Amino acid sequence: MSDTTSQNSNDAVTVEITKYRVVDAALAGHRDRRLFALQVQLTGDGTWTIHHLGEYLGEDGRWGQEAHGFDLDTALERAKAEAPHVVVNGLTIGDVLAKQK
C-alpha cells in the first residue's frame, strides 16, 4: 500500500555547493594530499576566494592575509594553475613525492 497523501520532504530542500578542494593530481592517494589542497570557497557577497593554510591568493597572484573575490570560473582556473606550486613547511609537491621513493 502506498501513501499518496504525504509530500516528499526533500522538495523544500536546497543543496548548494559552497566549497571546492583543488589539489595536484600527482598527489592522488598520498597521505599528505589534504595539506597541499587549495580551498575555493563561496563568500557572503557571492564571490569565491582561494585560500590555503590561512592565506588567500590575491588578484596579483601573491599569497597574503587579504581575501580577494573572484567569479567561480576564474577562481577554479587560478586554483588549478596554482595547485602544482603549493609549498607546505618548505616542501614542494615534488619534494614530498621524491622523499616517498
Side-chain angles (χ1 to χ4, degrees):
M1 174 182 224
S2 101
D3 181 3
T4 58
T5 59
S6 67
Q7 284 190 330
N8 182 346
S9 64
N10 289 335
D11 291 343
V13 175
T14 301
V15 176
E16 296 178 355
I17 296 172
T18 60
K19 186 188 276 188
Y20 292 87
R21 183 169 55 182
V22 179
V23 64
D24 191 292
L27 289 173
H30 194 279
R31 69 171 190 248
D32 291 331
R33 183 173 193 252
R34 63 184 169 76
L35 297 174
F36 286 86
L38 301 176
Q39 307 299 321
V40 176
Q41 189 163 359
L42 182 62
T43 67
D45 67 3
T47 61
W48 296 79
T49 59
I50 305 164
H51 62 94
H52 180 256
L53 301 178
E55 291 192 314
Y56 296 89
L57 185 65
E59 178 68 31
D60 62 0
R62 295 183 187 159
W63 290 92
Q65 298 301 311
E66 189 173 326
H68 178 80
F70 299 94
D71 65 81
L72 177 58
D73 290 338
T74 301
L76 291 174
E77 287 304 314
R78 300 276 307 260
K80 287 191 287 187
E82 190 68 26
H85 309 289
V86 173
V87 175
V88 175
N89 293 330
L91 300 174
T92 66
I93 292 170
D95 295 334
V96 170
L97 294 173
K99 286 184 176 197
Q100 184 176 339
K101 292 180 181 181

